Amino acid sequence: MPRKGENIYKRKDGRWEGRYIKSRTPAGKANYGYVYAKTYREVKAKLVNQISFASNSTTANQKVPTVCFECIAMEWFQTIRPQVKESSSNKYWNLLNSYVLPAFGVKPLCDITHDFIEEQCNLFLTEGGLKGNGLSAKTVSDILSLIRNIMQFAAKKGNIISCDAQSIQVKRQIPEMRVLSRAEQEKLCQYLYSDLDACNIGILVCLFTGLRVGEICALRWEDISFSDHTIHVHQTLQRIQNRANNKQKTKIVITTPKSACSIRTIPVPNDLIVILASYKASSKGYILTNCEQTPLEPRTMQNHFKRALQKSGIAPANYHSLRHTFATRCIELDRIKYDGNSNGSQWLIYKCPSEQFVLGSQLIVNQGQEALFFKGGEALDLFGPGTHTLSTGNLPILNKLVNLPFGGKTPFSAEIYYINKTANLDMKWGTSTPIPLEDPKYGLILNVGARGQYGITITDSRLFVSKIIGAVPNGTTTNPMLVLRYFNGLINSKIKSVTAAYMIQKQISFLEISQFLSELSATFQEALNEEFERFGIELVNFYCESIAPKPEEYEKLRGYKEELALGEGFYQQRRSLDILEKLAENPSSGSIANAGIGLGMGLGAAGQFGNVFSGIGQNMNVTKPDAQITCPKCGAQNNSTMKFCGSCGSKLATTIICPHCGKEVPDGMKFCGECGKPLSASKCPSCGFENKPGMKFCGNCGEKL
């Protein structure tokens, strides 16, 4: 049907005539062209083409001061049409033909002023529409946006315009959003749960994920990840105007969502995942129909939702109110989540800052985590990875303890701990003070230091939190070093006993022990595993990087080895001297002369050495103070003989022992200055694992290096 301002008329002979402006004279007078057709639609299509052609066919010598609005509007539409979705194109076309062109069509661009546009917008608000009672502010705002785009397009084409209408605004009233109350939501859910057909499940999905009606209609089983408990939204279904077919006025199309931000992945509550899994009939197809080819129309879902509200005794609401309700519940509900330390540091336990929660709160547990509820010092309910809506159904132990009622936003108190289930593989260990051990081959008691690293993982969260953590401040994390401090005494004890037993069994000296570190590490891990398991911890690996006496004692041990080769008598005499020297360092030993004579007699050497030590002892101070060394990390004072800080366990020594020749080498060197052999780790040819220097077998796979 022709509209005012279109310049389309029905002739007396029954044909339709359309008039357009072909050009203008230098004086600005319009030259008209005409098109004819049997129907209104045909002549309108011809008119659009002719207007577009006329606007682009101006000759070089033709001076056109300006073009009419209709010409540039049609040219803009033809340009923008392939760039937008078909639904948007239809919307622009309808606005142009219904409102914009009748009011602006024949008017030259240079005559369209700010006042004229503002006047027309006011007329649209008061007198527009089929009934003449005015258009909505939303529709007028869309018309104004269309006019702005056309005017901007005209300016880019080099046309003269009077204004761009950017300063003109249409005051829009924000419509009241209908949100279901908690009571209404509960009543609706009870009705939907009582009859879980396809449409009711679709309503539940929208209620707990915020999907639009077109998005739920286009949702397929392939878009749901049952392992990750998520829905991927990337398309929508809608019925739009079919301008290409006169018989079929509308058609269904599946396109991308409303905007780029609408392409998203949404977490799904566990209970809803269970419902979807039970209803699923195949791995493909639309979830509302369980069919590969045939989707459900949005209008059908909207009508079903209206009936569901009626049967539930709930006041009417449009389908989009489900999305508003979901957004409101997200704001109202507590979301309990922990993503790890912001600085990326390792952690074992995180305690939530609050101990007050409500039923309906969402507990989010990431991969590699567990969430443990604690109350009254007792470990209660445990949750694995996923999104959990806290309810009486999934808090059985807590429900028995505090008698939680059904329904409503019921508050309850509890402690929530997040446990890191991934392995912590970079935990250092070391003897804080030297361990006295006897060298079984040479019979010397030496002060031995050991160091290495190990990895742990939590296997029993309840057991670990109950026995290890104790009182943890709210809102804080527990560092893996806590475990190191807790087990430090146990590790040192096992290192001492296992090392002594191993060396006696193998009959090896500390001069040779570096060759057996791989085998010794496996023995340590086996001995410690049982102890760690008692606390819900699995010892993933345990590496011993070095076991060695103090550097000065190491050199003495090498000297004894060389002296032993000179004869038993010389070796015994040297032992006697060393023992007397030790006694001289002990302030409680009294006179060196007396100690020396007594010891010499006991050894059968009084005649040779007693007089000598008697003379020395008279002029020697036996209370020699120990030298001190400052820890570079904590500043604590330590004995100069210590290799690790007694306060924090940090390394004090600045040298290492060559695993090949036993020579002291400055820390950080790659090759020994004595024998020239490498000090770096050996890569396993089988698995590629970096093993410590001196290891004969791989610490990861056991292959010979």
Side-chain angles (χ1 to χ4, degrees), residues 281-439:
S282 62
S283 59
K284 295 183 178 180
Y286 298 97
I287 69 166
L288 295 183
T289 60
N290 265 320
C291 180
E292 176 70 26
Q293 302 295 333
T294 307
L296 196 69
E297 278 197 54
R299 188 178 299 177
T300 304
M301 277 298 293
Q302 291 168 343
N303 292 333
H304 187 88
F305 177 62
K306 290 180 181 178
R307 289 193 295 270
L309 293 178
Q310 290 176 354
K311 294 179 180 180
S312 304
I314 302 172
N318 58 34
Y319 199 93
H320 204 66
S321 63
L322 292 173
R323 181 170 170 85
H324 296 314
T325 302
F326 169 76
T328 303
R329 294 292 99 83
C330 286
I331 297 172
E332 292 176 352
L333 294 178
D334 293 328
R335 292 174 65 87
I336 311 165
K337 187 179 181 182
Y338 181 64
D339 293 321
N341 290 329
S342 57
N343 58 4
S345 60
Q346 289 188 327
W347 65 280
L348 284 177
I349 298 290
Y350 170 76
K351 186 179 181 182
C352 292
S354 175
E355 296 183 7
Q356 297 297 319
F357 306 97
V358 294
L359 290 181
S361 298
Q362 286 197 336
L363 178 70
I364 301 173
V365 185
N366 297 327
Q367 291 295 326
Q369 294 180 351
E370 282 184 344
L372 179 65
F373 278 75
F374 239 71
K375 189 166 182 71
E378 183 181 358
L380 303 175
D381 300 295
L382 187 67
F383 294 85
T387 300
H388 311 272
T389 301
L390 301 183
S391 64
T392 55
N394 58 18
L395 291 169
I397 303 178
L398 185 64
N399 185 31
K400 292 178 182 178
L401 189 63
V402 299
N403 193 25
L404 297 173
F406 175 78
K409 193 175 180 180
T410 307
F412 66 92
S413 62
E415 300 173 12
I416 298 181
Y417 291 89
Y418 277 89
I419 300 95
N420 187 359
K421 298 283 289 184
T422 59
N424 290 272
L425 301 175
D426 193 25
M427 300 181 64
K428 306 291 185 181
W429 66 268
T431 52
S432 57
T433 57
I435 303 172
L437 287 173
E438 183 179 9
D439 190 304

Side-chain angles (χ1 to χ4, degrees), residues 504-627:
I504 293 173
Q505 181 186 358
K506 297 287 186 179
Q507 282 297 302
I508 58 175
S509 169
F510 283 109
L511 297 173
E512 307 164 311
I513 198 169
S514 61
Q515 306 174 28
F516 300 88
L517 289 180
S518 177
E519 186 176 343
L520 194 57
S521 296
T523 307
F524 286 148
Q525 182 171 345
E526 185 179 355
L528 289 167
N529 248 332
E530 186 176 350
E531 296 295 329
F532 276 82
E533 288 174 355
R534 291 174 49 236
F535 299 91
I537 303 172
E538 179 185 353
L539 196 59
V540 178
N541 52 47
F542 192 94
Y543 298 118
C544 181
E545 298 176 356
S546 72
I547 299 179
K550 296 191 310 182
E552 61 270 20
E553 293 185 331
Y554 191 90
E555 290 298 322
K556 188 181 295 183
L557 182 60
R558 289 186 63 200
Y560 284 147
K561 178 183 178 183
E562 296 171 356
E563 292 166 3
L564 188 60
L566 299 177
E568 185 69 22
F570 184 85
Y571 176 69
Q572 290 293 340
Q573 294 174 11
R574 181 60 182 268
R575 286 287 312 270
S576 301
L577 285 170
D578 290 336
I579 294 173
L580 291 172
E581 192 179 74
K582 288 289 185 182
L583 289 173
E585 296 175 357
N586 186 356
S588 64
S589 64
S591 170
I592 285 186
N594 296 331
I597 293 172
L599 183 60
M601 291 178 65
L603 296 172
Q608 298 180 28
F609 300 104
N611 294 332
V612 176
F613 281 106
S614 179
I616 296 173
Q618 295 175 1
N619 301 309
M620 188 173 182
N621 184 8
V622 299
T623 58
K624 184 171 62 175
D626 294 333

Side-chain angles (χ1 to χ4, degrees), residues 462-532:
R462 286 187 173 93
L463 191 60
F464 176 74
V465 175
S466 301
K467 289 197 173 185
I468 297 290
I469 298 305
V472 177
N474 291 351
T476 60
T477 59
T478 300
N479 193 283
M481 294 303 294
L482 173 69
V483 177
L484 174 62
R485 292 197 298 269
Y486 191 90
F487 288 101
N488 195 47
L490 174 63
I491 292 175
N492 287 349
S493 176
K494 290 293 183 181
I495 293 295
K496 182 177 180 179
S497 60
V498 172
T499 302
Y502 185 87
M503 294 179 69
I504 293 173
Q505 181 186 358
K506 297 287 186 179
Q507 282 297 302
I508 58 175
S509 169
F510 283 109
L511 297 173
E512 307 164 311
I513 198 169
S514 61
Q515 306 174 28
F516 300 88
L517 289 180
S518 177
E519 186 176 343
L520 194 57
S521 296
T523 307
F524 286 148
Q525 182 171 345
E526 185 179 355
L528 289 167
N529 248 332
E530 186 176 350
E531 296 295 329
F532 276 82

Side-chain angles (χ1 to χ4, degrees), residues 659-685:
H660 306 287
C661 67
K663 190 70 176 179
E664 188 176 336
V665 183
D667 197 6
M669 302 292 288
K670 294 184 178 182
F671 295 90
C672 177
E674 180 71 16
C675 63
K677 293 185 178 180
L679 302 172
S680 59
S682 303
K683 183 176 287 187
C684 177

Side-chain angles (χ1 to χ4, degrees), residues 118 121-122 124-126 135-145 148 165-175:
E118 195 169 56
C121 288
N122 291 331
F124 289 146
L125 288 170
T126 56
L135 299 174
S136 67
K138 170 66 169 59
T139 303
V140 178
S141 181
D142 292 340
I143 292 172
L144 182 59
S145 178
R148 291 194 190 105
Q166 292 295 329
S167 61
I168 303 173
Q169 300 293 329
V170 177
K171 188 176 181 181
R172 294 176 56 183
Q173 292 183 348
I174 300 175

Side-chain angles (χ1 to χ4, degrees), residues 616-680:
I616 296 173
Q618 295 175 1
N619 301 309
M620 188 173 182
N621 184 8
V622 299
T623 58
K624 184 171 62 175
D626 294 333
Q628 299 289 308
I629 185 171
T630 303
C631 175
K633 186 174 182 179
C634 67
Q637 296 294 318
N638 297 268
N639 193 298
S640 60
T641 61
M642 298 171 64
K643 297 183 71 176
F644 294 88
C645 179
S647 178
C648 66
S650 299
K651 186 179 178 183
L652 298 174
T654 58
T655 60
I656 60 174
I657 304 299
C658 175
H660 306 287
C661 67
K663 190 70 176 179
E664 188 176 336
V665 183
D667 197 6
M669 302 292 288
K670 294 184 178 182
F671 295 90
C672 177
E674 180 71 16
C675 63
K677 293 185 178 180
L679 302 172
S680 59

